[in-house]
Amino acid sequence: DGGITQSPKYLFRKEGQNVTLSCEQNLNHDAMYWYRQDPGQGLRLIYYSQIVNDFQKGDIAEGYSVSREKKESFPLTVTSAQKNPTAFYLCATSRGVQPQHFGDGTRLSIL
Amino acid sequence: AQTVTQSQPEMSVQEAETVTLSCTYDTSESDYYLFWYKQPPSRQMILVIRQEAYKQQNATENRFSVNFQKAAKSFSLKISDSQLGDAAMYFCAYRSTALRPTGTASKLTFGTGTRLQVTL
């Protein structure tokens, strides 16, 4: 089946630790995105990528990093510089002018 | 920068009745897309309906329809014959034109959502 796979579903981070959230897609979509969702708020864009080896900051990129070495993969690293990482993280993809498709999300919590 | 406002944090509707969720947005662009996404308790984001700004005709998808008022920058969602499975968070989203001169990646700006309860 074609789709977007985010893993893990739940993730815990210790103080000072970097953690990486995985996003893999087999939809052959060019563009990939990372969003953050906090309670009572909509989604906010962290980073996006249009093609391999290219990515750009969104609205809330501080404390996060990404890479796009393969078309299918767009991992997000939450660094220790992100002081409030507890949130629900959603990966999305799109092709052309079609709407974005979303993965099932990863919930990140602080230990 | 674009903003999207959903002024109804919670709404309730009885099964089989009709409910309308409100959304307003602010933009200086003339060409854009608007979306309604549904987020059930599973947290998956599901596209409900979309509207192209250049189309005057309101979009419809089965029991879901929109009232798009471009001059007023209003984009409400009407759910007819509500069902228990419609209970979810509903997000209105605005899609900008392409983020960069080349390529097609585009940013979605979301409202804060409306939680819809469906009662028997």
Side-chain angles (χ1 to χ4, degrees):
Chain A
D1 288 342
I4 303 168
T5 302
Q6 287 190 242
S7 61
K9 194 174 179 69
Y10 300 95
L11 188 58
F12 298 91
R13 194 191 91 167
K14 295 180 181 179
E15 290 289 336
Q17 185 182 43
N18 294 352
V19 292
T20 298
L21 285 61
S22 172
C23 178
E24 302 280 332
Q25 57 110 351
N26 59 9
L27 299 169
N28 198 33
H29 287 177
D30 295 310
M32 298 187 74
Y33 313 80
W34 275 105
Y35 291 90
R36 170 178 171 143
Q37 185 178 23
D38 293 283
Q41 297 192 34
L43 281 65
R44 292 181 291 167
L45 183 64
I46 305 172
Y47 268 98
Y48 68 97
S49 168
Q50 293 195 119
I51 55 173
V52 174
N53 294 323
D54 177 77
F55 48 84
Q56 300 296 322
K57 293 180 179 180
D59 297 324
I60 55 167
E62 186 175 352
Y64 300 97
S65 65
V66 294
S67 63
R68 187 88 185 273
E69 298 177 1
K70 300 185 301 182
K71 186 175 184 178
E72 301 79 17
S73 179
F74 191 42
L76 173 74
T77 296
V78 184
T79 74
S80 56
Q82 173 50 246
K83 297 305 179 187
N84 185 22
T86 297
F88 188 63
Y89 292 87
L90 282 157
C91 176
T93 70
S94 69
R95 183 175 190 176
V97 296
Q98 296 304 311
Q100 291 180 17
H101 294 257
F102 287 84
D104 290 340
T106 293
R107 179 175 293 281
L108 176 62
S109 302
I110 294 279
L111 280 178
Chain B
Q2 294 81 21
T3 59
V4 176
T5 302
Q6 294 180 249
S7 58
Q8 305 155 315
E10 290 190 11
M11 292 283 286
S12 183
V13 63
Q14 281 192 323
E15 199 177 15
E17 296 297 310
T18 296
V19 65
T20 299
L21 308 184
S22 300
C23 173
T24 60
Y25 59 95
D26 187 27
T27 184
S28 58
E29 296 176 332
S30 58
D31 187 20
Y32 50 87
Y33 289 79
L34 295 164
F35 303 90
W36 279 97
Y37 280 90
K38 170 184 177 181
Q39 189 178 44
S42 65
R43 305 297 295 271
Q44 187 180 13
M45 293 291 284
I46 302 166
L47 177 67
V48 175
I49 197 166
R50 66 173 168 174
Q51 175 79 44
E52 292 89 342
Y54 64 86
K55 290 186 177 179
Q56 293 186 345
Q57 187 173 7
N58 289 325
T60 61
E61 285 288 342
N62 300 315
R63 299 182 293 106
F64 299 87
S65 61
V66 299
N67 183 3
F68 174 48
Q69 302 288 330
K70 191 173 184 179
K73 297 179 181 175
S74 172
F75 183 60
S76 61
L77 174 70
K78 185 171 82 171
I79 306 174
S80 303
D81 186 25
S82 296
Q83 301 175 359
L84 293 177
D86 295 333
M89 284 289 288
Y90 286 82
F91 291 96
C92 177
Y94 173 101
R95 174 183 158 161
S96 304
T97 51
L99 283 161
R100 299 174 76 182
T102 57
T104 58
S106 58
K107 172 185 174 180
L108 284 176
T109 301
F110 287 84
T112 53
T114 297
R115 181 175 302 280
L116 178 66
Q117 293 183 324
V118 181
T119 59
L120 293 172

